[in-house]
Amino acid sequence: MLLSTTPTIEGHPIKAYKGVVSGNVIIGANFVKDFLAGIRDVIGGRSGSYEKVLRQAKEKAINEMVADAVSMGANAIVGIDFDYETVGANGSMIMVAVSGTAVEL
């Protein structure tokens, strides 16, 4: 499966547009764990624990989107867009959403 944030893939003409596909993952925030991770992992303004969890959520969202595209008979997804939002009471959860257009090349 070819994945691209651009609307086309150079050298691969689009034969058919299959439809919009998406993947969404919501991860909960454990405040005690997050607080301790913040103390341990923040180096130069970055938190390794947060980054690892976000990477895993992003991968799961992409896999969900790809499965959706495969079920439509697509072999590529173009125009991919990522969105990260806080949801829930007091922003206690993080949603990773990815969407794109499933196509046949």
Side-chain angles (χ1 to χ4, degrees), residues 36-103:
L36 294 175
I39 293 171
R40 283 192 313 261
D41 293 338
V42 175
I43 299 170
R46 295 179 66 169
S47 171
S49 294
Y50 279 122
E51 290 174 0
K52 180 180 178 183
V53 170
L54 283 175
R55 263 193 310 277
Q56 290 171 344
K58 179 182 164 187
E59 288 174 16
K60 287 179 183 179
I62 289 170
N63 290 340
E64 188 177 296
M65 179 182 65
V66 167
D68 197 12
V70 167
S71 73
M72 295 177 165
N75 60 1
I77 304 171
V78 296
I80 295 173
D81 182 54
F82 293 92
D83 189 26
Y84 300 87
E85 296 288 334
T86 56
V87 295
N90 301 318
S92 61
M93 300 170 127
I94 299 171
M95 177 179 70
V96 179
V98 61
S99 62
T101 302
V103 298

